[in-house]
Amino acid sequence: MAKTTKATKAMKVVVVGAGYAGTLAANRIAKKVGTAEITVINPRPDFVERVRLHQQVAGTAVAATPLASMLRAGITSRVGTVAKIGDGSVTLEDGTGLDFDYAFLAVGSTVRPMPGTVPVGTWEGAEQARAALAALPAGSTVTVVGGGATGIETAAEVAEARPDLRVRIVGARVADVFSHRAHRHVRSGLERLGVDIVDDTLTDAAGGTVRLRSGAAYACDLTLWAIVSGVPDLAARSGLRVDADGRVLVDAYLRSIDDERIFAVGDCAAVPGARFACAIASPQAAHAADTLARLTEGRAPEPYALRYVARAVTLGRKRAVAQFTRPDDTLRPAALTGRTATVLKELASRGGRYAARTGSGS
């Protein structure tokens, strides 16, 4: 008589969010934990390349790909918004719920635009900005608010795609995320595209006028908000402890300090030394997925080590600036410009998408 064996219960994994971190985590778990039942919950049916939203705004690229084409066979995707996570289950806004053995919180970061502005850091905002930009007649003025990478890339992309418009960028210290030669190259690159650089702080954007802290005021036909600040409040709303930006407090293995069944990865994880950046989403997701695989195999987890390599921005389709950093993100003097920087920046952008789709990375 044949010997029977008791069936092993499949481990249930829920991934909340399908950006770079969430998509990579789901695909990597599917590769490394073959018995897992994985469900990805995302507010929209698409994977959005956040690093290309400025191109979406300018109409030079499409930033969305059907999520179904990004996930490995066997992974279930569900369109919806999670209202609460904890106690081994997630509850969606429509009242339905899913139980989990492990969950990955990968909801990214968000924007809090000033009234009178259109945000470019979300898919919905980028689409609104694209439509508004396309409707502007020649001679109109566009103001981009934010002197960091998102603002720089948006201003440059719009200026190059629509040379018939006047484009200005407003930030307390435009390009201050760079130093030395890279800082000069970023600002000169913007000026070469005809972008007016205004080192000041926006205080009001109502009524077609942007008003600055210095007292200056400019007429404006479209004001784009390009500042990322904070994360969705799902974790805080669910009772998980968070930092001042709303990011989940995690242990050395990227697990919530309140519930070891919940991993937090990407912008929504409060990893010491981490800033909002797509560059760290993939490594964190890969490490967390590997940690889950180790746990299922009965092996001890290994701590996550944050490491940076460079900061880079595109200045339209033909130019870019990249400045190397130390692992702790402090800036090195060395920088790349011109064709070499452009190719490296594009390869990095494509690499993030490839890693998410294949579950690769480290």
Side-chain angles (χ1 to χ4, degrees):
M1 186 174 183
K3 183 178 179 181
T4 60
T5 58
K6 186 177 180 180
T8 302
K9 179 183 176 182
M11 179 174 60
K12 295 181 179 180
V13 179
V14 173
V15 179
V16 182
Y20 292 100
T23 303
L24 188 152
N27 285 326
R28 197 172 181 95
I29 294 166
K31 286 200 305 183
K32 296 206 167 191
V33 187
T35 58
E37 291 182 1
I38 305 167
T39 301
V40 176
I41 304 172
N42 198 51
R44 60 191 66 85
D46 297 309
F47 167 81
V48 175
E49 294 183 75
R50 190 164 187 172
V51 297
R52 296 199 188 278
L53 284 178
H54 63 288
Q55 295 173 272
Q56 181 81 22
V57 170
T60 56
V62 176
T65 303
L67 184 56
S69 68
M70 294 290 293
L71 296 174
R72 293 172 66 92
I75 297 176
T76 300
S77 62
R78 183 169 177 176
V79 177
T81 300
V82 174
K84 186 177 180 181
I85 182 171
D87 298 324
S89 68
V90 295
T91 303
L92 277 67
E93 287 187 347
D94 63 8
T96 60
L98 288 172
D99 294 334
F100 63 78
D101 296 299
Y102 290 95
F104 283 66
L105 195 57
V107 295
S109 51
T110 190
V111 295
R112 299 186 177 96
M114 183 179 291
T117 69
V118 180
V120 299
T122 66
W123 169 256
E124 292 77 12
E127 277 291 87
Q128 182 184 351
R130 180 186 63 80
L133 185 67
L136 288 180
S140 299
T141 300
V142 177
T143 298
V144 178
V145 183
T150 302
I152 291 166
E153 293 191 327
T154 301
E157 199 77 24
V158 170
E160 185 176 80
R162 291 289 307 271
D164 59 325
L165 302 178
R166 180 180 180 183
V167 181
R168 75 168 60 89
I169 182 170
V170 174
R173 293 178 298 278
V174 176
D176 70 345
V177 295
F178 297 94
S179 67
H180 307 294
R181 190 166 67 95
H183 179 267
R184 295 194 300 274
H185 275 286
V186 171
R187 291 178 68 102
S188 64
L190 289 170
E191 291 168 348
R192 188 180 296 114
L193 289 168
V195 177
D196 294 329
I197 301 173
V198 180
D199 293 306
D200 209 333
T201 302
L202 183 71
T203 58
D204 185 76
T209 301
V210 292
R211 303 180 189 281
L212 308 180
R213 183 168 293 168
S214 65
Y218 302 97
C220 185
D221 299 290
L222 176 62
T223 304
L224 302 178
W225 186 266
I227 300 173
V228 176
S229 57
V231 302
D233 65 352
L234 173 58
R237 196 169 64 238
S238 300
L240 300 177
R241 278 179 282 178
V242 299
D243 67 5
D245 290 316
R247 300 182 298 177
V248 182
L249 297 180
V250 294
D251 63 15
Y253 314 108
L254 302 178
R255 302 175 300 188
S256 164
I257 62 173
D258 299 303
D259 189 337
E260 292 185 349
R261 296 169 295 178
I262 299 176
F263 290 87
V265 291
D267 283 350
C268 69
V271 176
R275 54 181 166 85
F276 294 136
C278 294
I280 63 173
S282 296
Q284 287 185 9
H287 187 89
D290 290 348
T291 296
L292 178 57
R294 293 177 69 90
L295 293 173
T296 60
E297 295 166 0
R299 296 188 293 156
E302 296 180 349
Y304 169 73
L306 179 66
R307 294 186 182 89
Y308 288 96
V309 176
R311 296 184 181 188
V313 292
T314 55
L315 297 169
R317 297 294 81 220
K318 300 177 182 178
R319 294 183 178 86
V321 175
Q323 182 167 13
F324 295 105
T325 69
R326 300 176 182 85
D328 65 356
D329 203 33
T330 54
L331 299 172
R332 297 179 185 273
L336 295 175
T337 60
R339 179 66 177 170
T340 301
T342 305
V343 171
L344 288 177
K345 181 64 165 64
E346 179 60 25
L347 287 175
S349 297
R350 294 186 184 187
R353 185 181 188 278
Y354 176 82
R357 183 173 59 82
T358 59
S360 58
S362 58

